[in-house]
């Protein structure tokens, strides 16, 4: 089965190509079959590959498939080659499978949209890029996939391009992630310049043998890669694009924010974990970034009133958990949380999409309510997803993965109680904003009438994901055993917190958030309103609502000066040089054309004069 | 013994005289004759150079120049006839309609 | 030999100057023929008898005959000579003369600064020239033949005109 690996990215790519070329002439059904079918085939193949990998693991725990040499310039010879080990296997399987469910869902969700085939073309390309990114054998191919998902996210966020706001959101996502990508590109240059290769495995060996722990090169390379990861995974300080990215269709949000793109940064760090292990300050920075992001995004999520923006902030926050795990060296915990998060976040978006479509594209949660009985499937799946997100103890997948991260943060040699406390506060916040969302949307009075009921294509994927959101956590031990072949073991510091204590604390934090949400939004709804009404509360609310003023800050610090400089330089100083060149050329033209008199003797005289000058130059120079 | 250097000198003088003729005379016939003088001077330089090295190549090139001069004169004189029919004049300054 | 060379060189220069200053085209042509014949003598002195013969036959013979034909066809009369005199004012020839003088000075400088040996070696007869011409330079010969063919076609094309048109110009220009 393993030699079929190349088909996993190739089939979605072929699907994207087919849809891009023939899509406009296709009927919706044909486009849906091609778009969904290609991902289905891809998912089935990756499941078979996973089965083959698990039953008969390849030698050294990894399988490499080299297709051809991509570029051949001197010693720089990156290949189109795929590398499959436990890490990329998990990522690939989860990505293709969740993408498949989302595609099935979109086939119904997008029905009647004029860009139906275009949507599937983008989505297929997105999956193809993401799988390329995951399977890449060298960092250049990884970068190709990296930019591919960046491009597709831009296309999908701005999918409904008739509204300029959507285009603006797409551009914002593109530009902000580009900042991180630039850092990453510089990091690749640095790595290639110093270690002479971009093949990830060779690179890791070379780094380990050539760079001592804490060497400047390792720190610089790891920091630059972290820059790329921060941009793509929407962590501090480049997280501002993700909430705006909700402008895209809801399945897009599910695909970008759950299964694929935003976890690319997590994958990159896990993939290059050797570099981060060689640069302890950067690794600690990863943990701090994760902890700070999960807290900030948690506060912001608790104040939003757009259902999708709440989920967007929760995504940022959950990826913050993954970064925290990476930062404290709990590599497999991060990937485990990636997997469970992929299930429950995709589920939440799909359920939210059902709600949104049922209510005439209403996004405001204060105009929803009482949908518990109207949309039972959406309610139950959303409840399961929400519980998983908040970490309902013992039952849901999210609890196991998050618990593992929190325990690791407390017990890591690199971590500490500060990081653990931030994580715990995050659990309370997560629980609070999740149940706030659930209570406001599904409980209380019916605010808006339901106009549309979801079909099977929308409910079945949600149910499958709900199932996975529960059982996904039970596979913790075999999962860790599998990942141990690809990622280093977590190094536990002695004398830390016991596992039972950490679990109990996480459970209590969950309950605290749940109770707070219950009290403030169901039992005593005036409380939240009055808290938001007094001046301090209003200020705080506005501050958090606007994502801690980050957009405002960037607007003042970066955008305004650039816009000012651009408007001040309207005449374009640089361009005047080229205008001058053009003017000089025109002047020369006028001078030369003045010599064109039509008088033969003058022409001959010019020739003679020219030979005199040429001879003089030959003789005396 | 052949006076090579004087041969070059003579070719230079003749060439310069040809240049003067092209630049001074406005009659197209004289211009053509001056060009003949210049070509002949160039041929003289080649023959002198061939004599310097004792090789036939200079003379071969002179033959090529001869052929070119013949072709040039035949076309040039045909143009002279045509122009005279058109303009009733051989003054090159008067025939300056081909100005850009 | 040296006397012959200097004599022939002087004749060539003087004849060329005379050619340049004539007003009548036929007179100029005669001077040009003298100049070419003098150059032919110089070729002979330089040890190139074959080229000397060709100079006499083709340059002084064939090409100049062409000129003579054209001058006769044009039928330039006394008024042409008067017009030429009007054109030969000092203001016209001073500038070109200075330019040409500079060119000549540069040329002489080059000759003086380069180490041109004062004299050459042996006479090169027609046989050697022929061997070189149809050996190494065969492609050049072919190209020259094509050039001549092109010249022939061009001359024919330019010289060809309809009979009525010739008569019309004849009538309009007695």
């Amino acid at each position: 089965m393993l030699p079929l690996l190349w088909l996993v990215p190739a089939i979605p790519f072929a699907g994207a190509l087919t849809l891009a070329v023939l899509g406009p002439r296709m009927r919706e059904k044909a486009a849906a079959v091609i778009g969904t079918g290609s991902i289905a085939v891809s998912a089935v193949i990756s499941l078979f590959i996973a089965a083959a990998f698990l039953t008969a693991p390849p030698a050294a725990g990894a399988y490499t498939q080299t297709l051809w040499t991509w570029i051949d310039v001197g010693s720089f010879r990156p290949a189109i080659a795929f590398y499959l080990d436990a890490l990329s296997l998990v990522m690939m399987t989860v990505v293709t499978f969740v993408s498949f469910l989302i595609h099935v869902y979109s086939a119904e969700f997008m029905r009647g949209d004029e860009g139906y085939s275009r949507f599937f073309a983008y989505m297929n390309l997105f999956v193809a890029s993401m799988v390329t990114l995951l399977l890449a054998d060298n960092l250049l191919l990884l970068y190709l996939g990296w930019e591919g998902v960046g491009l597709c996210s831009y296309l999908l966020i701005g999918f409904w391009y008739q509204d300029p706001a959507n285009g603006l959101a797409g551009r914002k996502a593109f530009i902000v992630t580009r900042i991180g990508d630039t850092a990453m590109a510089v990091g690749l240059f640095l790595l290639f310049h110093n270690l002479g290769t971009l093949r990830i495995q060779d690179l890791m060996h070379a780094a380990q043998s050539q760079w001592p722990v804490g060497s400047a090169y390792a720190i610089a390379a790891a920091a630059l890669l972290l820059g790329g990861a921060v941009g793509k995974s929407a962590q501090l300080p480049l997280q501002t694009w993700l909430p705006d990215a909700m402008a895209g269709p809801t399945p897009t949000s599910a695909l970008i924010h759950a299964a694929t793109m935003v976890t690319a940064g997590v994958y990159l760090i896990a993939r290059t974990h050797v570099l981060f292990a060689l640069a302890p300050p950067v690794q600690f920075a990863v943990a701090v970034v994760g902890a700070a992001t999960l807290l900030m995004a948690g506060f912001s999520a608790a104040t939003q009133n757009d259902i999708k923006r709440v989920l967007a902030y929760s995504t940022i926050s959950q990826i913050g958990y993954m970064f925290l795990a990476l930062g404290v060296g709990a590599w497999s915990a991060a990937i485990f949380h990636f997997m469970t998060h992929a299930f429950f976040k995709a589920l939440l978006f799909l359920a939210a999409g059902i709600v949104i479509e049922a209510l005439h594209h209403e996004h405001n949660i204060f105009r929803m309510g009482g949908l518990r009985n109207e949309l039972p499937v959406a309610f139950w799946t959303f409840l399961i997803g929400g519980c998983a997100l908040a970490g309902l103890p013992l039952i849901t997948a999210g609890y196991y993965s998050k618990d593992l991260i929190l325990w690791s943060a407390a017990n890591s040699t690199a971590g500490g109680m500060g990081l653990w406390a931030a994580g715990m506060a995050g659990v309370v916040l997560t629980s609070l904003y999740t149940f706030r969302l659930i209570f406001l949307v599904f409980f209380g009075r019916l605010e808006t009438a339901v106009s549309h009921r979801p079909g099977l294509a929308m409910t079945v994927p949600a149910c499958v994901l709900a199932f996975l959101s529960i059982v996904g956590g039970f596979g913790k031990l075999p999962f860790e055993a599998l990942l141990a072949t690809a990622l280093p073991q977590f190094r536990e510091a002695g004398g830390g917190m016991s596992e039972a204590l950490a679990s109990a604390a996480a459970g209590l934090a969950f309950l605290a958030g749940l109770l707070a949400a219950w009290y403030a939004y169901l039992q005593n709804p005036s409380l939240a309103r009055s808290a938001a009404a007094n001046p301090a509360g209003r200020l705080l609310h506005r501050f958090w609502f606007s994502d801690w003023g980050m957009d405002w800050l960037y607007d003042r610090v970066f955008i305004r000066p650039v816009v000012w400089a651009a408007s001040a330089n309207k005449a374009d100083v640089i361009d005047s040089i080229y205008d001058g060149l053009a003017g000089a050329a025109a002047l020369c033209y006028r001078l030369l054309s003045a010599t064109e008199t039509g008088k033969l003797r003058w022409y001959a005289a010019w020739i003679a004069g020219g030979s005199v000058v040429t001879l003089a130059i030959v003789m005396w120079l | 013994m052949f006076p090579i250097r004087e041969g070059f000198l003579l070719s230079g003088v003749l060439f310069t005289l040809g240049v003067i003729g092209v630049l001074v005379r406005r009659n197209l016939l004289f211009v053509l004759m001056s060009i003949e003088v210049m070509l002949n001077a160039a041929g003289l330089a080649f023959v002198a150079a061939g004599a310097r090295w004792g090789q036939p190549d200079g003379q071969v090139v002179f033959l090529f120049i001869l052929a070119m001069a013949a072709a040039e004169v035949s076309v040039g004189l045909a143009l002279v006839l045509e122009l005279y029919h058109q303009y009733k004049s051989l003054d090159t300054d008067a025939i300056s309609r081909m100005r850009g | 030999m040296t006397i012959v060379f200097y004599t022939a060189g002087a004749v060539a220069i003087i004849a060329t100057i005379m050619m340049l200053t004539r007003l009548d085209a036929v007179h100029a042509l005669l001077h040009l023929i003298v100049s070419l014949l003098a150059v032919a003598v110089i070729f002979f002195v330089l040890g190139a008898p074959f080229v000397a013969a060709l100079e006499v036959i083709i340059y002084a013979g064939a090409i100049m005959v062409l000129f003579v034909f054209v001058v006769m066809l044009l039928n330039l009369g006394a008024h042409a000579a008067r017009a030429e005199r009007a054109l030969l004012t000092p203001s016209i020839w001073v500038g070109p003369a200075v330019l040409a003088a500079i060119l000549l000075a540069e040329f002489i400088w080059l000759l003086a600064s380069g180490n041109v040996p004062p004299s050459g070696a042996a006479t090169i007869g027609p046989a050697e020239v022929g061997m070189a011409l149809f050996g190494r330079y065969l492609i050049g010969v072919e190209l020259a033949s094509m050039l001549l063919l092109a010249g022939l076609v061009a001359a024919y094309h330019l010289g060809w005109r309809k009979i009525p048109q010739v008569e019309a110009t004849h009538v309009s220009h007695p």
Side-chain angles (χ1 to χ4, degrees):
Chain A
M1 265 341 263
L2 290 185
L4 291 182
L5 184 59
W6 64 277
L7 283 173
V8 177
I11 291 176
F13 186 71
L17 220 57
T18 314
L19 286 168
V21 175
L22 303 174
R25 272 182 290 282
M26 271 181 193
R27 283 182 299 115
E28 274 192 5
K29 199 158 271 176
V33 166
I34 290 179
T36 314
S38 65
I39 307 294
V41 173
S42 187
V44 167
I45 291 176
S46 59
L47 283 178
F48 273 116
I49 287 175
F53 191 96
L54 293 176
T55 51
Y63 171 76
T64 307
Q65 182 176 39
T66 306
L67 297 181
W68 67 83
T69 302
W70 185 7
I71 300 167
D72 190 349
V73 186
S75 65
F76 181 57
R77 305 188 57 183
I80 301 282
F82 298 128
Y83 178 84
L84 186 74
D85 63 355
L87 174 61
S88 45
L89 179 76
V90 168
M91 300 284 289
M92 173 186 81
T93 316
V94 171
V95 163
T96 49
F97 189 69
V98 173
S99 300
F100 164 64
L101 292 176
I102 294 169
H103 274 73
V104 171
Y105 177 90
S106 335
E108 188 186 321
F109 186 87
M110 296 301 288
R111 191 164 293 157
D113 195 285
E114 58 179 330
Y116 195 79
S117 64
R118 184 165 63 92
F119 179 80
F120 276 102
Y122 291 166
M123 294 282 270
N124 275 12
L125 187 61
F126 198 113
V127 175
S129 305
M130 188 66 198
V131 175
T132 308
L133 190 165
L134 298 175
L135 291 177
D137 164 69
N138 56 67
L139 284 176
L140 193 68
L141 189 59
L142 188 148
Y143 196 73
L144 177 76
W146 189 272
E147 292 298 324
V149 292
L151 168 71
C152 293
S153 75
Y154 163 74
L155 293 172
L156 284 168
I157 292 166
F159 181 76
W160 287 314
Y161 56 87
Q162 286 91 343
D163 182 355
N166 294 346
L168 205 65
R171 285 210 296 280
K172 184 174 176 186
F174 198 74
I175 291 167
V176 173
T177 53
R178 208 62 37 214
I179 296 168
D181 293 357
T182 309
M184 181 175 164
V186 176
L188 296 198
F189 297 148
L190 180 79
L191 284 171
F192 181 74
H193 184 74
N194 284 291
L195 299 176
T197 179
L198 281 181
R199 281 201 67 215
I200 296 170
Q201 301 309 314
D202 297 352
L203 205 60
M204 295 303 120
H205 288 304
Q208 214 150 24
S209 60
Q210 291 180 23
W211 290 342
V213 173
S215 81
Y217 278 128
I219 288 177
L224 287 166
L225 290 184
L226 173 63
V230 158
K232 200 58 103 195
S233 290
Q235 298 293 292
L236 267 178
L238 298 177
Q239 87 285 25
T240 54
W241 65 270
L242 204 138
D244 288 354
M246 293 300 122
T250 306
T252 301
S253 307
L255 193 60
I256 294 178
H257 304 129
T260 58
M261 175 170 156
V262 292
T263 55
V266 177
Y267 174 75
L268 178 71
I269 293 178
R271 182 45 89 203
T272 57
H273 60 86
V274 174
L275 280 178
F276 286 87
L278 288 175
V282 180
Q283 203 184 353
F284 187 66
V286 173
V288 171
V289 164
T293 309
L294 75 90
L295 276 179
M296 280 180 67
F299 280 113
S300 294
T303 54
Q304 302 300 316
N305 50 25
D306 179 331
I307 183 168
K308 283 176 74 181
R309 282 181 85 90
V310 176
L311 292 177
Y313 279 110
S314 81
T315 300
I316 298 176
S317 162
Q318 295 307 304
I319 292 172
Y321 275 109
M322 295 180 211
F323 268 62
L324 175 63
L326 294 170
V328 299
W331 310 103
S332 52
I335 302 303
F336 189 44
H337 194 55
F338 149 76
M339 186 181 81
T340 58
H341 175 250
F343 295 145
F344 65 69
K345 189 51 63 65
L347 167 62
L348 284 172
F349 270 112
L350 298 193
I354 294 175
V355 170
I356 288 168
E357 203 176 58
L359 299 182
H360 275 301
H361 294 273
E362 176 59 66
H363 282 215
N364 191 338
I365 50 177
F366 289 103
R367 278 190 230 125
M368 299 174 179
L371 295 172
R372 186 168 31 140
N373 300 319
E374 297 291 322
L375 297 167
V377 177
F379 168 64
W380 284 109
T381 52
F382 201 97
L383 186 65
I384 292 169
C387 287
L389 170 64
L392 176 65
L394 301 179
I395 299 174
T396 57
Y399 167 74
Y400 287 100
S401 56
K402 209 182 286 182
D403 182 42
L404 188 61
I405 290 174
L406 289 169
W407 176 79
S408 306
N411 285 341
S412 165
T413 48
M417 294 317 281
L419 293 175
W420 177 78
M424 286 316 275
V427 173
V428 178
L429 278 171
T430 310
S431 178
L432 173 68
Y433 67 69
T434 307
F435 285 101
R436 166 178 178 264
L437 192 60
I438 291 173
F439 292 152
L440 284 174
V441 172
F442 293 102
F443 290 82
R445 278 187 299 114
L446 194 66
E447 296 271 341
T448 311
V450 172
S451 64
H452 178 272
R453 308 236 170 235
L456 276 182
M458 282 164 82
T459 52
V460 170
C463 293
V464 173
L465 284 169
F467 174 71
L468 286 171
S469 297
I470 291 174
V471 303
F474 300 147
K476 186 171 108 175
L477 292 176
F479 188 87
E480 283 191 305
L482 172 64
L483 277 181
T485 61
L487 291 168
Q489 287 285 11
F490 174 63
R491 281 204 308 276
E492 188 181 341
M497 197 180 286
S498 77
E499 223 162 318
L501 184 63
S503 301
L508 284 177
F510 164 80
L511 272 181
L514 171 60
L515 284 175
W518 174 76
Y519 185 71
Y521 292 96
L522 268 192
Q523 192 63 24
N524 197 358
S526 60
L527 184 71
R529 244 171 276 137
S530 65
N534 74 49
R538 200 162 53 213
L539 200 69
L540 212 54
H541 182 269
R542 263 185 54 192
F543 187 51
W544 288 339
F545 183 77
S546 63
D547 192 11
W548 298 66
M550 292 289 271
D551 274 332
W552 180 87
L553 185 73
Y554 289 163
D555 187 54
R556 291 296 148 97
V557 176
F558 298 114
I559 298 172
R560 294 264 178 101
V562 170
V563 170
W564 175 83
S567 61
N569 191 21
K570 223 168 211 162
D572 204 342
V573 174
I574 305 289
D575 200 39
S576 63
I577 296 173
Y578 300 104
D579 281 347
L581 277 179
L587 186 72
C588 290
Y589 154 73
R590 273 195 293 279
L591 282 177
L592 277 177
S593 69
T595 65
E596 194 180 0
T597 54
K599 295 204 183 348
L600 190 64
R601 293 187 313 118
W602 276 106
Y603 295 168
W606 281 112
I607 295 175
S611 24
V612 165
V613 172
T614 313
L615 265 181
I617 290 171
V618 167
M619 278 193 298
W620 290 300
L621 288 182
Chain B
M1 303 302 274
F2 316 122
I4 306 295
R5 182 183 286 174
E6 290 79 358
F8 276 123
L9 188 62
L10 179 64
S11 101
V13 172
L14 286 178
F15 187 86
T16 318
L17 285 172
V19 169
I20 293 176
V22 170
L23 296 186
V24 171
R25 298 308 297 255
R26 285 163 65 174
N27 188 321
L28 204 51
L29 269 175
F30 283 85
V31 172
L32 278 179
M33 283 187 233
S34 303
I35 290 174
E36 290 308 307
V37 171
M38 285 162 72
L39 284 172
N40 202 38
L44 176 56
F46 272 109
V47 171
R52 152 76 180 87
W53 298 105
Q55 295 292 326
D57 305 62
Q59 299 190 33
V60 170
V61 175
F62 179 79
L63 286 180
F64 290 150
I65 290 175
L66 202 63
M68 198 207 74
E72 180 254 331
V73 159
S74 59
V75 176
L77 287 176
L79 281 171
V80 164
L81 280 177
E82 185 69 12
L83 281 173
Y84 190 72
H85 280 296
Q86 297 271 341
Y87 291 95
K88 300 289 165 286
S89 164
L90 289 176
D91 185 358
T92 55
D93 284 8
I95 310 166
S96 60
R97 283 220 320 222
M98 279 194 286
R99 185 170 47 221
Chain C
M1 278 305 235
T2 318
I3 297 169
V4 175
F5 178 88
Y6 282 113
T7 317
V11 168
I13 292 170
I14 292 166
T16 308
I17 293 172
M18 291 296 278
M19 178 220 100
L20 286 178
T21 50
R22 289 313 86 188
L23 299 176
D24 189 38
V26 178
H27 294 172
L29 268 178
L30 288 175
H31 284 293
L32 182 56
I33 290 172
V34 170
S35 163
L36 294 175
L37 289 176
V39 173
V41 170
I42 286 170
F43 283 158
F44 194 80
V45 173
L46 285 174
F50 177 54
V51 162
L54 283 180
E55 174 92 1
V56 173
I57 298 169
I58 297 179
Y59 247 128
I63 295 179
M64 287 308 122
V65 167
L66 254 181
F67 267 99
V68 172
F69 269 129
V70 169
V71 171
M72 284 164 64
L73 272 176
L74 291 177
N75 197 18
L76 300 165
H79 66 282
R82 275 201 302 280
E84 285 292 321
R85 184 189 296 282
L87 295 179
L88 272 182
T89 55
S91 64
I92 283 183
W93 59 259
V94 164
V98 169
L99 192 64
I102 297 172
L103 193 61
L104 185 62
E106 281 180 346
F107 194 76
I108 292 171
W109 175 283
L110 266 181
L111 270 184
S113 60
N115 55 347
V116 180
S119 56
T123 301
I124 298 151
E128 286 170 78
V129 177
M131 294 293 281
L133 197 58
F134 292 101
R136 276 176 292 165
Y137 291 100
L138 194 58
I139 289 178
V141 172
E142 292 300 329
L143 289 175
S145 72
M146 285 173 71
L147 178 70
L148 286 170
L149 182 65
L152 179 71
V153 171
Y156 173 78
H157 177 74
L158 287 169
W160 185 81
R161 44 181 51 250
K162 294 187 186 102
I163 302 297
Q165 212 176 345
V166 171
E167 283 179 350
T169 53
H170 199 72
V171 169
S172 67
H173 184 71

